[in-house]
Amino acid sequence: MTTAETTAEAHAQARAQAHPAPPRSPAAGTLRPRRTAPWQADPYTDALRTGRGPLFLRRSDGWLLPLEVERWCSEPDSADLTVLERCRGTVLDIGCGPGRLVAALAARGRPSLGIDISPAAVSHAVRAGGSALVRSVFDPLPREGGWHTALLMDGNIGIGGDPLALLSRLAGVVGTTGSLIVETAAAGMDAELDERVRVRVDNGNSAPGEAFSWARVGARALIRHARATGWAPSEQWTAAGRRFVTLERPG
């Protein structure tokens, strides 16, 4: 798929999301419980619309992981800029959210694409000037096997709750000389952090979405998983309290 085709598909999806077809009425006598998919619950959609939280990942025992909605919906900050400076060639932003990075790359004339399972996030990214598709990283992707740089920002190494599976998948998405930039658990946290949890998106005031699997990974744990899946670490750095690791395809 060419850059023009990818952009056209992104804008077509955004139009479809802005003007959805009316839902079919359920058959008479049937009542279906309202279910919301992960990252598509009203709290997340509302947070993206307003550009602010509070928003959390909530575990069943009450543990909360704050989500930085305000930062996601703003211009790239100083830490983000250190990532953008390291992007080479074509860039795929996995779990792009409201699209601050793909919009910044597009403004710089860089060929890039964001993917996210949230239609609201993808619409926001396209309105911001980026190219984005509603797509899971585990679905077929444009330019599969040919991306020069892939990004896993904002804790997105946690997608699917299985970092080994995610890293293995991305080895087939990035080109043989490509790189993967991963944001790990924050600099002040244990670099060996390596946990799997079941969480829901929640703002503390309304019904959360469906439970889903998530992971949190520190820098040393990430490198261990990377080596087990055919990646080699090439750089680590900290910026504004955030921790990043670049992985390369050896060969």
Side-chain angles (χ1 to χ4, degrees):
M1 183 178 290
T2 66
T3 301
E5 290 169 336
T6 300
T7 302
E9 183 179 354
H11 284 282
Q13 286 199 9
R15 288 194 297 273
Q17 293 147 19
H19 304 285
R24 293 184 178 181
S25 299
T30 62
L31 289 175
R32 297 179 181 176
R34 183 175 180 272
R35 298 170 66 86
T36 50
W39 301 108
Q40 297 180 33
D42 288 342
Y44 184 57
T45 301
D46 290 345
L48 292 184
R49 185 175 64 251
T50 62
R52 60 181 182 271
L55 199 67
F56 311 92
L57 293 184
R58 178 184 291 274
R59 201 163 59 190
S60 58
D61 63 1
W63 171 90
L64 294 174
L65 176 65
L67 301 178
E68 299 181 76
V69 177
E70 290 85 354
R71 181 170 64 78
W72 297 351
C73 292
S74 299
E75 295 293 317
D77 63 13
S78 60
D80 292 328
L81 293 177
T82 69
V83 172
L84 295 175
E85 290 165 359
R86 289 166 169 82
C87 289
R88 298 182 292 110
T90 56
V91 183
L92 179 67
D93 186 2
I94 299 148
C96 67
R100 72 187 189 282
L101 298 181
V102 288
L105 287 163
R108 290 162 170 76
R110 302 290 302 277
S112 58
L113 175 69
I115 59 170
D116 202 289
I117 63 171
S118 165
V122 167
S123 293
H124 195 294
V126 173
R127 289 195 303 272
S131 293
L133 298 175
V134 179
R135 200 72 55 89
S136 164
V137 66
F138 296 104
D139 291 337
L141 298 174
R143 297 184 180 179
E144 189 123 348
W147 292 94
H148 298 114
T149 306
L151 304 178
L152 284 173
M153 296 294 102
D154 306 320
N156 284 338
I157 185 62
I159 290 173
D162 187 344
L164 282 166
L166 181 56
L167 291 169
S168 295
R169 165 62 176 144
L170 291 175
V173 171
V174 174
T176 55
T177 59
S179 61
L180 172 62
I181 303 177
V182 182
E183 181 173 355
T184 68
M189 301 187 69
D190 182 2
E192 291 289 355
L193 177 68
D194 192 10
E195 68 176 18
R196 314 289 181 269
V197 291
R198 293 281 292 174
V199 295
R200 299 173 188 267
V201 179
D202 192 356
N203 66 3
N205 297 314
S206 57
E210 291 291 303
F212 59 97
S213 298
W214 194 251
R216 293 199 302 156
V217 181
R220 283 199 292 270
L222 170 69
I223 290 170
R224 186 168 61 250
H225 294 317
R227 287 175 171 149
T229 52
W231 294 94
S234 63
E235 185 181 11
Q236 300 182 52
W237 74 99
T238 300
R242 295 162 61 193
R243 184 75 174 170
F244 305 93
V245 178
T246 299
L247 306 175
E248 306 282 351
R249 296 285 305 280

